[in-house]
Amino acid sequence: MAPWGLLLACLPKKYRACQCFADFGFDCLEERRHAVLRLCMALLLLGFAAAFVGMVGGLAGKGRTLKALAWARFHSPWGEFDSGVVYYCGGMDGNVTCTKWKDMDCDRVAIKTQCELCQNQVGAMTVPIIICVVTYALFSHNTWLRYSGKDSAQAKIMSCFACFWAGTNFLLVLVAFWKACVALKREQDDRAMHHDDLVSMGPGLLLMGTGASGLKYACGFLHLGLPVEESPHEQINSSDNDTDDEDGDGGDASEDE
């Protein structure tokens, strides 16, 4: 995400496409500018909290945290199991054992196909999860700039970029986890599990999806529909330029006479 973000941030302010994007907006949102940005900041905080709690559940080890914030839950004749992106815990009659996904021996699991795909998927998710939560700080910075009177085309572009591109990018990561660890039903897995209701989405995955993508999209549409507000300094410069242009036109007219 960083290289593309830096490229967008370095685009010149007077670049026509940037200016058109900056001026785009809706009057109904512009009339309530500060209220809209306050709502955006509230959604941002709520999204960060949801994503952070979901991250805690995904990276949790042994204990009640994984039980409460599991990303996937498996029910089988051998007991109930909760899974994050690091550990897989469960058992029967209170005999709970935990195994790291990277140490899982899928040859000893009845649903081998799903186990192997899920094992490969969770191994690549730890870094994107942490990056997703940390980048909320950058999104917060640009939202604050727009709220505090330091708005600019770059701030709007970066805010929308963080919402739509980054939100979609991580949503695809979550969808891959969903398919590999929750919704995948191979023929051999169906025969082993007997019916389709034995694998379900956990609350940690729901919170992560809501915070990392859902609420980011909501903030993105608010930023997109809010045109860039000129700072007082830019307004003064614009007025000075208009005055200079008028003086120049007056001087040209006098010389012609």
Side-chain angles (χ1 to χ4, degrees):
M1 184 180 120
W4 288 104
L6 291 174
L7 177 61
L8 289 173
C10 293
L11 288 174
K13 294 182 180 180
K14 298 302 181 181
Y15 189 61
R16 185 173 179 81
C18 292
Q19 193 59 48
C20 291
F21 186 80
D23 294 338
F24 176 81
F26 301 100
D27 292 339
C28 59
L29 295 181
E30 176 63 16
E31 292 171 358
R32 303 168 178 83
R33 182 179 187 85
H34 283 85
V36 169
L37 287 172
R38 282 196 295 269
L39 174 60
C40 188
M41 293 179 71
L43 293 176
L44 188 154
L45 291 174
L46 183 61
F48 173 78
F52 182 80
V53 173
M55 179 189 73
V56 170
L59 302 180
K62 308 172 184 179
R64 296 180 180 179
T65 303
L66 180 59
K67 182 71 176 177
L69 298 172
W71 279 35
R73 285 180 170 156
F74 302 84
H75 309 274
S76 73
W78 303 278
E80 297 188 357
F81 298 84
D82 300 301
S83 173
V85 299
V86 178
Y87 276 93
Y88 177 88
C89 299
M92 293 182 65
D93 301 327
N95 296 320
V96 178
T97 59
C98 293
T99 305
K100 283 188 176 182
W101 268 109
K102 67 178 183 179
D103 299 330
M104 178 78 69
D105 185 2
C106 291
D107 290 332
R108 301 178 60 184
V109 179
I111 48 175
K112 178 181 177 181
T113 303
Q114 186 171 345
C115 174
E116 291 176 342
L117 289 174
C118 189
Q119 186 179 50
N120 293 333
Q121 180 61 35
V122 298
M125 290 190 66
T126 302
V127 173
I129 290 172
I130 296 174
I131 291 176
C132 172
V133 175
V134 170
T135 50
Y136 256 109
L138 300 177
F139 179 39
S140 303
H141 174 70
N142 286 298
T143 302
W144 176 253
L145 288 178
R146 303 201 70 190
Y147 179 77
S148 61
K150 299 177 182 178
D151 200 3
S152 65
Q154 285 90 340
K156 180 176 180 178
I157 290 172
M158 290 303 297
S159 296
C160 293
F161 178 81
C163 294
F164 295 124
W165 191 91
T168 301
N169 184 57
F170 194 75
L171 179 62
L172 295 177
V173 173
L174 294 181
V175 168
F177 177 87
W178 168 271
K179 289 183 176 180
C181 300
V182 180
L184 179 66
K185 296 292 179 287
R186 300 294 187 186
E187 291 184 2
Q188 67 181 59
D189 298 341
D190 290 337
R191 289 196 296 269
M193 297 167 61
H194 304 294
H195 58 80
D196 292 333
D197 295 331
L198 294 178
V199 182
S200 60
M201 177 175 61
L205 182 61
L206 178 61
L207 286 170
M208 197 70 194
T210 301
S213 297
L215 292 177
K216 274 190 176 181
Y217 285 136
C219 290
F221 283 114
L222 291 176
H223 274 288
L224 180 64
L226 201 61
V228 171
E229 180 183 49
E230 286 188 357
S231 66
H233 177 70
E234 290 177 336
Q235 292 176 358
I236 292 173
N237 289 341
S238 178
S239 299
D240 291 342
N241 291 334
D242 293 341
T243 302
D244 292 340
D245 291 340
E246 291 175 0
D247 292 341
D249 294 338
D252 293 339
S254 298
E255 292 178 0
D256 291 340
E257 292 176 358

